[in-house]
Amino acid sequence: MARKIDEDKIQHIKEATMQTIVENGIESTTIAMIAKNANVSGGYLYRIYEGKQDLINNLYYDKVNSLYKELEFLLALNQTSIEPLIKSFVQNRVVYYLNEPIASKFFYQLLHNENFTITTELKDKSMLLMESIKDIGVKSGEISNSLSLYQLHYHIFVYPVDYINFKRKNIFDGQETTNEDVIYLTKNILNFFKNIK
């Protein structure tokens, strides 16, 4: 039973970390602020994590790893065309934003902070995934052979998140993210993949 309580506490700490960072920014957030929002002592946090960077790295690893697992699953379902894979992945980003806005905003902040990088393990996993997607796309005529793995990775992982968060910032009077955005993003990504020279 004690193990369950600890796991719940750790989950609560992760949620408090995301909330605190979304509200205050990465640089301004301190372990003391996270501990206060998680209703635990700073000492308890230091027993689990080496510091703020370690805690955030852990969250970043969990998120990126879950995205790669999702992509692996979609890849297993779509071996002859990348269009359904891209559409499903983009749709899942929209659903994730609508259902988990704090976690989505947190991930967006980490994507644009140079202090956070993925591990070698995740880099290798990303490379294999991008190569598999490119192979299917080139064979199906949906991806130009000139497309780099870097460009493929950016347009699958970063572009939809950036677009969704651009709309969230209410620059154009509170634009809602809808299924029309899924269609728009999917079409743009596929056009880019096919027509790059």
Side-chain angles (χ1 to χ4, degrees):
M1 188 61 107
R3 183 175 171 82
K4 174 105 174 80
I5 293 168
D6 286 345
E7 287 174 5
D8 288 347
K9 194 178 277 190
I10 289 169
Q11 183 59 36
H12 187 64
I13 289 166
K14 289 179 177 183
E15 289 167 5
T17 301
M18 290 188 284
Q19 179 77 42
T20 307
I21 286 172
V22 165
E23 290 173 357
N24 301 286
I26 293 170
E27 279 74 21
S28 297
T29 296
T30 65
I31 280 287
M33 292 164 70
I34 294 168
K36 181 179 179 185
N37 287 342
N39 203 22
V40 297
S41 70
Y44 183 83
L45 282 178
Y46 281 113
R47 283 199 301 267
I48 302 169
Y49 303 102
E50 292 176 11
K52 180 178 86 169
Q53 186 79 33
D54 185 42
L55 171 55
I56 299 172
N57 284 346
N58 187 279
L59 283 165
Y60 190 49
Y61 175 90
D62 287 349
K63 180 58 185 167
V64 172
N65 194 42
S66 73
L67 289 173
Y68 289 167
K69 286 181 180 179
E70 177 186 336
L71 204 53
E72 285 171 342
F73 175 76
L74 293 171
L75 192 57
L77 296 176
N78 301 287
Q79 291 290 309
T80 58
S81 172
I82 64 160
E83 182 174 355
L85 178 149
I86 298 297
K87 185 175 182 183
S88 294
F89 195 74
V90 169
Q91 189 166 31
N92 290 345
R93 302 294 60 78
V94 170
V95 169
Y96 182 70
Y97 170 74
L98 294 173
N99 292 336
E100 301 284 344
I102 297 299
S104 182
K105 292 172 191 175
F106 170 76
F107 183 62
Y108 172 76
Q109 285 192 23
L110 292 187
L111 279 177
H112 297 283
N113 189 296
E114 294 184 10
N115 292 326
F116 302 96
T117 58
I118 61 175
T119 63
T120 301
E121 169 201 349
L122 290 181
K123 285 179 185 176
D124 293 344
K125 188 183 275 191
S126 175
M127 188 68 71
L128 290 172
L129 280 168
M130 296 306 108
E131 286 171 351
S132 297
I133 292 168
K134 185 173 179 181
D135 287 346
I136 291 169
V138 168
K139 287 176 187 168
S140 67
E142 296 168 292
I143 292 182
S144 164
N145 206 32
S146 300
L147 185 74
S148 73
L149 296 180
Y150 171 81
Q151 291 165 327
L152 187 64
H153 187 278
Y154 172 82
H155 280 83
I156 292 174
F157 286 99
V158 182
Y159 173 57
V161 173
D162 279 351
Y163 179 86
I164 291 165
N165 279 278
F166 178 76
K167 288 191 77 174
R168 157 184 83 77
K169 291 183 177 181
N170 299 325
I171 293 172
F172 298 104
D173 298 323
Q175 299 290 308
E176 293 294 322
T177 303
T178 66
N179 194 53
E180 298 301 315
D181 294 308
V182 174
I183 296 165
Y184 171 80
L185 287 166
T186 302
K187 182 179 176 183
N188 279 359
I189 291 168
L190 291 171
N191 283 341
F192 179 80
F193 287 173
K194 188 171 186 175
N195 295 315
I196 192 163
K197 303 295 182 201

